[in-house]
Amino acid sequence: MKDKHTDRIPNQPTDEDPIEEEEEEKNLFEKTNDQNQQIDAIQKNTTERLTSFPITEIPPEKPVDIKNQDNIEQKDLKFLNKEQIEKTLSILKIRFDEHPKRHKGVEWEKVKKTLEKNRKALWSIFQMEKEGHEPDIYSADKEGFDIGTCCQELSERNRNIVYDAEAEKICSKETNGNAADITRSMGIDIITEEQYKKLQKTGKYDRETCTWLKTPDKIKKTNAALAGFRYLIVQIGKREASNPNIKVGVRGTLRVLWNYSPIKFRGIKKEE
């Protein structure tokens, strides 16, 4: 009896059958072998990265005081001229428009007016731009917004650094400085774990690099510091604070209040 869909009799061997079966088995073997190699590579990469950044239980930090914007000494503050202000705002607006996912519901005109009143914040943003941080707003609420390092991967000049000055003192390797002093010099802060997670919700950052995170003193006393990166998911762990790495660097962040009012220096009244 013949098969309805072919001219062949079912189960009747032909000269083509062994070749077809052999070819199918060969293709299946090659496909399976490729998949196994990919899985092995992913597992190896995951093991290596998680060994460098072990996941640990980190106690929650105290909430950041958003009213404190004195991140830089007034005597060290240099204000921008009109041309620098216009250039800084122009570049910031371009990036703001290109990445709407980072700041849903935030209006540029409101941001612009706020920054025009806050010369200290503008100076810090200018420094971040100059140092390759690609600053942008990544979080906002009714009291203010956070603007920080938003490049997908950290630039080379912002990597190969240790956590802070204490770590740099005991470091025996050549570095590009330390995260605490670098951010302080720009009038900004090291990004916190909470802020880092907010940033990661707006895109995929640090798939090839790793970022130092604001670390409690309790952990720093052990010559360790928090660090974050993304591999499949966002990972937070601890690294040796005094051990630089060409992949490890810093992301800065600045809190700007909507109702910021500059304090005007009125001078000291002379005694009569």
Side-chain angles (χ1 to χ4, degrees), residues 147-245:
I147 184 167
T149 307
C150 287
C151 47
Q152 293 289 318
E153 306 294 340
L154 297 173
S155 62
E156 288 187 12
R157 55 182 156 174
N158 292 314
R159 296 177 348 217
N160 195 39
I161 61 177
V162 294
Y163 181 76
D164 58 10
E166 293 180 7
E168 193 171 10
K169 287 179 183 177
I170 61 176
C171 176
S172 59
K173 301 176 183 178
E174 186 176 346
T175 74
N176 287 332
N178 70 80
D181 285 348
I182 289 172
T183 51
R184 189 180 297 112
S185 69
M186 294 186 286
I188 60 178
D189 293 312
I190 298 174
I191 195 168
T192 67
E193 179 180 347
E194 181 183 358
Q195 290 169 331
Y196 186 72
K197 289 178 178 178
K198 285 182 179 179
L199 173 66
Q200 287 284 12
K201 287 181 180 179
T202 70
K204 295 182 178 180
Y205 306 89
D206 287 334
R207 286 180 290 184
E208 299 295 332
T209 54
C210 177
T211 294
W212 289 117
L213 305 177
K214 193 81 171 180
T215 302
D217 291 338
K218 183 178 179 180
I219 296 177
K220 287 196 295 181
K221 287 179 181 178
T222 63
N223 188 30
L226 301 182
F229 66 97
R230 176 186 283 275
Y231 184 69
L232 301 181
I233 60 173
V234 178
Q235 313 272 3
I236 305 295
K238 289 193 294 185
R239 282 188 57 86
E240 186 179 352
S242 59
N243 186 17
N245 187 289

Side-chain angles (χ1 to χ4, degrees), residues 53 70 76 136 184 253:
F53 311 106
D70 296 325
D76 296 327
D136 195 9
R184 189 180 297 112
T253 187

Side-chain angles (χ1 to χ4, degrees), residues 45-77:
N45 198 359
T46 303
T47 302
E48 290 175 352
R49 298 195 72 171
L50 292 183
T51 301
S52 301
F53 311 106
I55 305 303
T56 56
E57 291 294 330
I58 306 299
E61 289 192 74
K62 294 180 180 179
V64 179
D65 181 7
I66 62 174
K67 295 182 180 180
N68 180 18
Q69 294 207 159
D70 296 325
N71 297 317
I72 188 168
E73 294 293 334
Q74 187 69 28
K75 62 183 177 63
D76 296 327
L77 188 61

